[in-house]
Coordinates of all heavy atoms in Angstrom, one line a residue:
L324 N 7.6 5.2 6.3 CA 7.1 5.4 7.6 C 7.9 6.4 8.4 O 7.4 7.2 9.2 CB 7.1 4.1 8.4 CG 6.1 3.0 8.0 CD1 6.3 1.7 8.9 CD2 4.6 3.5 8.2
L325 N 9.2 6.4 8.1 CA 10.1 7.3 8.8 C 9.9 8.8 8.5 O 10.4 9.6 9.2 CB 11.6 6.9 8.5 CG 12.1 5.6 9.1 CD1 13.4 5.2 8.5 CD2 12.2 5.8 10.6
A326 N 9.3 9.0 7.4 CA 9.1 10.4 6.9 C 7.7 11.0 7.4 O 7.4 12.2 7.1 CB 9.2 10.5 5.4
L327 N 6.9 10.2 8.1 CA 5.7 10.7 8.6 C 5.8 11.7 9.7 O 6.8 11.6 10.5 CB 4.8 9.5 9.1 CG 4.3 8.5 8.0 CD1 3.8 7.2 8.7 CD2 3.2 9.2 7.2
T328 N 4.9 12.7 9.7 CA 5.0 13.7 10.8 C 3.7 13.7 11.5 O 2.7 13.0 11.1 CB 5.3 15.1 10.2 OG1 4.1 15.5 9.5 CG2 6.4 15.1 9.2
D329 N 3.6 14.5 12.5 CA 2.4 14.7 13.3 C 1.2 15.0 12.4 O 0.1 14.6 12.6 CB 2.5 15.9 14.3 CG 2.8 15.3 15.7 OD1 2.7 14.1 15.9 OD2 3.0 16.2 16.6
A330 N 1.5 15.8 11.3 CA 0.4 16.2 10.4 C -0.2 15.0 9.6 O -1.3 15.2 9.0 CB 0.9 17.2 9.4
D331 N 0.5 13.9 9.7 CA 0.0 12.7 8.9 C -0.8 11.7 9.8 O -1.2 10.7 9.3 CB 1.2 12.0 8.3 CG 2.0 12.9 7.4 OD1 1.4 13.5 6.5 OD2 3.2 12.9 7.4
R332 N -1.1 12.0 11.0 CA -1.8 11.1 11.9 C -3.1 10.7 11.3 O -3.5 9.5 11.3 CB -2.0 11.7 13.3 CG -0.7 11.7 14.1 CD -1.0 12.3 15.5 NE 0.3 12.5 16.1 CZ 1.0 11.5 16.7 NH1 0.6 10.3 16.8 NH2 2.2 11.8 17.2
D333 N -3.9 11.7 10.9 CA -5.2 11.4 10.4 C -5.1 10.5 9.1 O -6.0 9.7 8.9 CB -6.0 12.7 10.1 CG -6.4 13.3 11.4 OD1 -6.3 12.7 12.4 OD2 -6.9 14.5 11.3
L334 N -4.1 10.8 8.3 CA -4.0 10.1 7.0 C -3.7 8.6 7.3 O -4.3 7.7 6.7 CB -2.8 10.7 6.2 CG -2.3 10.0 5.0 CD1 -3.4 10.0 3.9 CD2 -1.1 10.7 4.4
V335 N -2.7 8.4 8.2 CA -2.4 7.0 8.5 C -3.5 6.3 9.2 O -3.8 5.1 8.9 CB -1.1 6.9 9.4 CG1 -0.8 5.5 9.8 CG2 0.1 7.5 8.6
A336 N -4.2 7.0 10.1 CA -5.4 6.4 10.7 C -6.4 6.1 9.7 O -7.1 5.0 9.7 CB -5.9 7.3 11.8
H337 N -6.6 6.9 8.8 CA -7.6 6.7 7.7 C -7.3 5.4 6.9 O -8.2 4.6 6.7 CB -7.7 7.9 6.8 CG -8.6 7.7 5.6 ND1 -9.9 7.4 5.7 CD2 -8.3 7.7 4.3 CE1 -10.4 7.3 4.5 NE2 -9.5 7.4 3.6
I338 N -6.0 5.3 6.6 CA -5.6 4.1 5.8 C -5.8 2.9 6.6 O -6.4 1.9 6.1 CB -4.2 4.3 5.3 CG1 -4.1 5.4 4.2 CG2 -3.6 2.9 4.8 CD1 -2.7 5.7 3.8
L339 N -5.3 2.9 7.9 CA -5.4 1.6 8.6 C -6.7 1.3 9.3 O -7.0 0.2 9.5 CB -4.2 1.6 9.7 CG -2.8 1.6 9.0 CD1 -1.7 1.6 10.1 CD2 -2.6 0.3 8.2
V340 N -7.4 2.4 9.7 CA -8.7 2.2 10.4 C -9.8 2.0 9.4 O -10.7 1.2 9.7 CB -8.9 3.3 11.4 CG1 -10.3 3.2 12.1 CG2 -7.8 3.5 12.4
D341 N -9.8 2.8 8.4 CA -11.0 2.8 7.5 C -10.7 1.9 6.2 O -11.5 1.1 5.9 CB -11.3 4.2 7.0 CG -11.5 5.2 8.1 OD1 -12.1 4.8 9.1 OD2 -11.1 6.4 8.0
V342 N -9.6 2.2 5.6 CA -9.5 1.7 4.2 C -9.0 0.2 4.2 O -9.6 -0.6 3.5 CB -8.5 2.5 3.4 CG1 -8.3 1.9 2.0 CG2 -9.0 3.9 3.3
V343 N -8.0 -0.2 5.0 CA -7.5 -1.5 4.9 C -8.5 -2.6 5.3 O -8.8 -3.5 4.6 CB -6.2 -1.7 5.7 CG1 -5.8 -3.1 5.9 CG2 -5.0 -1.0 5.0
P344 N -9.2 -2.4 6.4 CA -10.2 -3.4 6.8 C -11.4 -3.5 5.8 O -11.9 -4.6 5.5 CB -10.8 -2.9 8.2 CG -9.7 -2.0 8.7 CD -9.1 -1.4 7.5
Q345 N -11.8 -2.3 5.2 CA -12.8 -2.3 4.2 C -12.4 -3.0 3.0 O -13.1 -3.8 2.4 CB -13.1 -0.8 3.9 CG -14.2 -0.6 2.9 CD -14.3 0.9 2.6 OE1 -14.3 1.8 3.4 NE2 -14.5 1.2 1.3
L346 N -11.1 -2.8 2.6 CA -10.6 -3.5 1.4 C -10.5 -5.0 1.6 O -10.8 -5.8 0.7 CB -9.2 -2.9 1.0 CG -9.2 -1.8 0.0 CD1 -7.8 -1.3 -0.1 CD2 -9.8 -2.2 -1.3
A347 N -10.0 -5.3 2.8 CA -9.9 -6.8 3.1 C -11.2 -7.5 3.0 O -11.3 -8.6 2.5 CB -9.3 -6.9 4.5
K348 N -12.3 -6.8 3.4 CA -13.6 -7.4 3.3 C -14.0 -7.4 1.8 O -14.5 -8.5 1.3 CB -14.6 -6.6 4.1 CG -14.5 -6.7 5.6 CD -15.4 -5.8 6.4 CE -15.0 -5.8 7.8 NZ -15.4 -4.5 8.5
K349 N -13.8 -6.3 1.1 CA -14.2 -6.3 -0.3 C -13.5 -7.3 -1.1 O -14.0 -7.9 -2.0 CB -13.9 -4.9 -0.8 CG -14.2 -4.6 -2.3 CD -13.9 -3.1 -2.6 CE -13.6 -3.0 -4.1 NZ -13.4 -1.6 -4.4
L350 N -12.2 -7.6 -0.8 CA -11.4 -8.5 -1.6 C -11.5 -9.9 -1.1 O -10.9 -10.8 -1.6 CB -9.9 -8.0 -1.5 CG -9.7 -6.6 -2.1 CD1 -8.2 -6.2 -1.9 CD2 -10.0 -6.6 -3.6
G351 N -12.3 -10.1 0.0 CA -12.7 -11.5 0.4 C -11.6 -12.2 1.3 O -11.6 -13.4 1.4
V352 N -10.8 -11.4 1.9 CA -9.8 -12.0 2.8 C -9.9 -11.7 4.3 O -9.2 -12.2 5.1 CB -8.3 -11.6 2.3 CG1 -8.0 -12.1 0.9 CG2 -8.1 -10.1 2.4
A353 N -10.9 -11.0 4.6 CA -11.1 -10.6 6.0 C -11.4 -11.8 6.9 O -10.8 -11.9 8.0 CB -12.2 -9.5 6.1
E354 N -12.2 -12.7 6.4 CA -12.6 -13.8 7.3 C -11.4 -14.7 7.6 O -11.2 -15.1 8.8 CB -13.7 -14.5 6.6 CG -14.6 -15.3 7.6 CD -15.8 -15.9 7.0 OE1 -16.5 -15.1 6.3 OE2 -16.0 -17.1 7.1
K355 N -10.7 -15.1 6.6 CA -9.6 -16.1 6.8 C -8.3 -15.4 7.3 O -7.5 -16.1 7.9 CB -9.3 -16.8 5.5 CG -10.4 -17.9 5.2 CD -9.9 -18.8 4.2 CE -10.8 -20.0 4.0 NZ -10.4 -20.9 2.9
G356 N -8.2 -14.1 7.0 CA -7.0 -13.4 7.5 C -6.1 -12.9 6.4 O -6.2 -13.4 5.2
F357 N -5.3 -12.0 6.7 CA -4.4 -11.4 5.7 C -3.3 -10.7 6.4 O -3.2 -10.8 7.6 CB -5.3 -10.3 4.9 CG -5.8 -9.2 5.8 CD1 -5.2 -8.0 6.0 CD2 -7.1 -9.4 6.4 CE1 -5.7 -7.0 6.8 CE2 -7.7 -8.4 7.2 CZ -6.9 -7.2 7.4
R358 N -2.3 -10.2 5.6 CA -1.2 -9.6 6.2 C -1.0 -8.2 5.6 O -1.2 -7.9 4.4 CB 0.1 -10.4 5.9 CG 1.4 -9.9 6.5 CD 2.5 -10.9 6.3 NE 2.3 -12.0 7.2 CZ 3.1 -13.1 7.2 NH1 4.2 -13.1 6.4 NH2 2.9 -14.1 8.0
V359 N -0.6 -7.2 6.5 CA -0.3 -5.9 6.0 C 1.2 -5.6 6.3 O 1.7 -5.9 7.5 CB -1.1 -4.8 6.8 CG1 -0.8 -3.4 6.4 CG2 -2.6 -5.1 6.5
V360 N 1.9 -5.2 5.3 CA 3.4 -5.0 5.4 C 3.8 -3.6 4.9 O 3.3 -3.2 3.8 CB 4.1 -6.1 4.6 CG1 5.6 -5.9 4.6 CG2 3.8 -7.5 5.1
A361 N 4.6 -2.9 5.6 CA 5.2 -1.7 5.1 C 6.7 -1.9 5.2 O 7.4 -1.6 6.2 CB 4.8 -0.5 6.0
N362 N 7.3 -2.4 4.1 CA 8.8 -2.5 4.0 C 9.4 -1.1 4.1 O 8.9 -0.2 3.4 CB 9.1 -3.1 2.7 CG 8.7 -4.6 2.6 OD1 8.6 -5.3 3.6 ND2 8.3 -5.0 1.4
T363 N 10.4 -1.0 5.0 CA 10.9 0.4 5.2 C 12.5 0.4 5.1 O 13.1 -0.4 5.9 CB 10.5 0.9 6.6 OG1 9.1 0.8 6.7 CG2 11.0 2.3 6.9
G364 N 13.0 1.1 4.2 CA 14.4 1.3 4.1 C 15.1 0.0 3.4 O 14.4 -0.9 3.0
E365 N 16.4 0.1 3.3 CA 17.1 -0.9 2.5 C 17.0 -2.3 3.1 O 16.5 -3.2 2.4 CB 18.6 -0.5 2.5 CG 19.4 -1.3 1.5 CD 20.9 -0.9 1.5 OE1 21.2 0.3 1.9 OE2 21.7 -1.7 1.2
E366 N 17.3 -2.5 4.4 CA 17.2 -3.8 4.9 C 15.7 -4.2 5.1 O 15.4 -5.4 5.2 CB 18.0 -3.9 6.2 CG 19.5 -3.9 6.0 CD 20.3 -4.5 7.1 OE1 19.8 -4.8 8.1 OE2 21.5 -4.5 6.9
G367 N 14.8 -3.3 5.1 CA 13.4 -3.6 5.2 C 12.9 -4.1 3.9 O 11.7 -4.6 3.8
G368 N 13.7 -3.9 2.8 CA 13.2 -4.4 1.5 C 12.4 -3.4 0.7 O 11.6 -3.8 -0.2
Q369 N 12.5 -2.1 1.1 CA 11.7 -1.1 0.4 C 12.3 -0.8 -1.0 O 13.4 -0.3 -1.0 CB 11.5 0.1 1.2 CG 10.6 1.2 0.6 CD 10.4 2.4 1.5 OE1 11.1 2.6 2.5 NE2 9.6 3.3 1.0
S370 N 11.6 -1.1 -2.0 CA 12.1 -0.8 -3.4 C 11.5 0.5 -4.0 O 12.2 1.1 -4.8 CB 11.9 -1.9 -4.3 OG 10.6 -2.2 -4.5

Side-chain angles (χ1 to χ4, degrees):
L324 289 177
L325 288 169
L327 290 166
T328 71
D329 258 356
D331 300 314
R332 285 180 191 281
D333 287 351
L334 172 62
V335 175
H337 175 59
I338 290 174
L339 291 179
V340 176
D341 304 324
V342 177
V343 167
Q345 180 187 318
L346 267 176
K348 288 175 196 153
K349 177 176 159 181
L350 298 171
V352 296
E354 201 171 312
K355 286 195 168 176
F357 58 91
R358 184 170 288 176
V359 176
V360 176
N362 295 327
T363 304
E365 191 182 336
E366 290 202 354
Q369 183 177 9
S370 61

